[in-house]
Amino acid sequence: MAVTLGDVARHAGVSLATASRVLNGSARTVTDELSARVRSSARELGYLPNAPAQALARASSATIGVLLHDVADPYFGTIARAVWDASSQAGLLSLVASTDADPERELHAVRMLHAQRVRAIVLAGSAYTDPAAAGPIDEALAGYRAQGGVVTAITDHGSGYDTVSPANRAGAAELVRALLGMGHRRFAVVGGPGRLRVAQERLAGVRDALAEAGLTLPQECLFEADFSREGGRSAAAGLLDGHPGELLPTAVLALSDILAVGVLAEFRDRGIDVPGRVSVAGFDDVPLAADLAPPLTTVRMPLELMGREAVRLALAAAPGAAPQVVALPLEVVLRASTAAPARP
């Protein structure tokens, strides 16, 4: 039979309220002698504290909630692991909610995390561009913050949160400049859903660099897809079907590595040589990017640092303080999936 808090109180010879103040946490203090007696009894009896009771006493639990779009995506998996590690080092537990980039599921997750009295919520997924989707989530987060909760964001959510801000737009522009330097002039882009701010930022960076070179991205060479392997395959199939023979662009920019995985798979199945006939680049530098065949040129996001910084901001947050922004530059990593074009 499980040991109860009442058992501990009786063993220590104190009231139930005193035992609760010691083991569950409270603003009311207990003398060192009583505290030591209660903790000694708890250890002797093998008592495990009641987490919901601790949350009620402290107005928050020893938990950090993480909202992300797809835990199976290595981008989010790497961030989630970093949040877990940083939380553990602080004596906290991390609770991950995977929302499939569905605003309704995200709103439900925010409300559930609020109800669980988590100490902080880390927004690891992109913000939504549609106010009708973002508004209810922001309102729910405002209610959570009004009751003492802390929110930190990875990428800009535009709501006054402490933010870890990787340079998505600048990184995409640098990737295009690197390929322009190889001699590429005909590009296709496999981008993420336009309803996600990160997808828009990366696409804007591509357009910035192309405009600098006096180039534009034809609409028929722009493919919007879910950030998934299947999305990349579908977009690559559409590109090949619409650009037979010599009309195929010389470089395909997949604006996430998981999209690039799908593009490479479709090209392989169709007998398209990469990079002999077409170069392929991704974005994120997830752990598997260097192990693909061929290894993937990409934009390196410091994913582990992003997760750790989000936790650091959450734990350092002070009521009423101005929002902090940690800006992170990105780096283009050239690998064997890109080469000078075989034709102009």
Side-chain angles (χ1 to χ4, degrees), residues 1-2 8 12 39 71 135 198 219 221 232 236 244 247 279 293 302-303 339:
M1 185 173 179
V8 175
R39 295 187 187 282
V71 72
V198 164
Q219 188 61 38
C221 290
L247 295 178
S279 289
L303 301 176

Side-chain angles (χ1 to χ4, degrees), residues 192-246:
R195 59 194 175 87
L196 298 180
R197 183 174 296 179
V198 164
Q200 290 196 352
E201 289 176 353
R202 293 179 181 182
L203 179 58
V206 171
R207 294 190 189 279
D208 290 345
L210 289 177
E212 290 172 5
L215 302 173
T216 59
L217 179 66
Q219 188 61 38
E220 65 271 17
C221 290
L222 174 60
F223 298 84
E224 182 177 310
D226 289 336
F227 280 129
S228 67
R229 181 177 182 275
E230 295 74 18
R233 285 201 73 133
S234 177
L239 173 66
L240 293 175
D241 292 342
H243 295 79
E246 292 300 310

Side-chain angles (χ1 to χ4, degrees), residues 272-301:
I272 303 297
D273 179 34
V274 176
R277 185 173 175 192
V278 59
S279 289
V280 175
F283 202 113
D284 295 331
D285 198 27
V286 299
L288 62 80
D291 299 325
L292 296 173
L296 184 65
T297 286
T298 187
V299 177
R300 176 169 293 159
M301 300 270 282

Side-chain angles (χ1 to χ4, degrees), residues 15-180:
S15 69
L16 183 62
T18 296
S20 177
R21 288 175 192 135
V22 173
L23 298 176
N24 291 329
S26 171
R28 299 183 62 179
T29 59
V30 176
T31 66
D32 291 343
E33 187 273 330
L34 284 180
S35 179
R37 192 194 309 171
V38 170
R39 295 187 187 282
S40 176
S41 293
R43 286 193 299 271
E44 185 175 338
L45 296 176
Y47 172 72
L48 294 176
N50 184 300
Q54 289 183 327
L56 286 170
R58 298 171 181 167
S60 70
S61 68
T63 307
I64 290 181
V66 187
L67 290 182
L68 48 78
H69 289 170
D70 183 3
V71 72
D73 185 331
Y75 170 91
F76 289 114
T78 304
I79 290 174
R81 177 56 189 263
V83 171
W84 176 277
D85 288 344
S87 300
S88 296
Q89 290 172 10
L92 304 174
L93 179 71
S94 57
L95 181 62
V96 174
S98 187
T99 67
D100 291 333
D102 181 336
E104 288 297 324
R105 290 186 64 176
E106 191 158 327
L107 176 61
H108 177 69
V110 169
R111 289 171 173 166
M112 290 292 289
L113 291 173
H114 187 177
Q116 293 293 319
R117 297 174 181 263
V118 298
R119 181 175 299 187
I121 294 176
V122 175
L123 304 176
S126 172
Y128 300 100
T129 57
D130 181 2
I137 297 171
D138 287 338
E139 289 177 11
L141 288 168
Y144 165 72
R145 296 174 79 191
Q147 295 187 12
V150 174
V151 177
T152 62
I154 296 176
T155 72
D156 180 26
H157 279 64
S159 298
Y161 308 130
D162 288 344
T163 301
V164 180
S165 182
N168 280 289
R169 184 167 182 164
E174 284 302 310
L175 176 61
V176 173
R177 293 185 190 111
L179 294 176
L180 287 167

